[in-house]
Amino acid sequence: MKIISNKKLFIIYIVLLVLNSICIILLTRKTGAYNLNGSYSEANSLKLIIDALLGIIFSIPFLCSILSALIASFINKQQPYGKRFVKTFLFTLIIVYGTILIPFAINVLS
């Protein structure tokens, strides 16, 4: 069984983050969005682009860190918790960003 290094996982994460960011920017140019307070952000507005990028760059990793903290407490208990957390965090980010990229790419290409 081949073990994937944290460096390779980090590179995959960065590539997926960049691809998701590009898709978000392209999508915000096509469509607007409703905010939680009921207001509407116009397509191609700077506020919409910044909000979408902040969500994908900060909110998703924060939620993945919470999920990873729970998962890391149950797997591979021979390793120290810090090493388990980092690998689990990177795997979780890759899975989430990869899953998010599919509908983003479909919407951008259509």
Side-chain angles (χ1 to χ4, degrees), residues 36-99:
L36 291 176
N37 63 4
S39 63
Y40 183 75
S41 294
E42 294 292 325
N44 208 18
S45 69
L46 185 61
K47 181 182 180 338
L48 179 60
I49 294 171
I50 290 172
D51 288 344
L53 287 176
L54 287 176
I56 205 153
I57 293 172
F58 295 111
S59 299
I60 291 175
F62 176 73
L63 294 173
C64 286
S65 68
I66 294 170
L67 180 63
S68 298
L70 293 171
I71 294 171
S73 63
F74 296 110
I75 61 168
N76 202 5
K77 293 188 178 185
Q78 295 85 5
Q79 288 185 336
Y81 181 78
K83 287 185 178 184
R84 288 184 282 164
F85 175 77
V86 170
K87 188 164 290 269
T88 306
F89 178 64
L90 290 171
F91 267 124
T92 306
L93 279 173
I94 289 169
I95 290 168
V96 170
Y97 279 138
T99 305

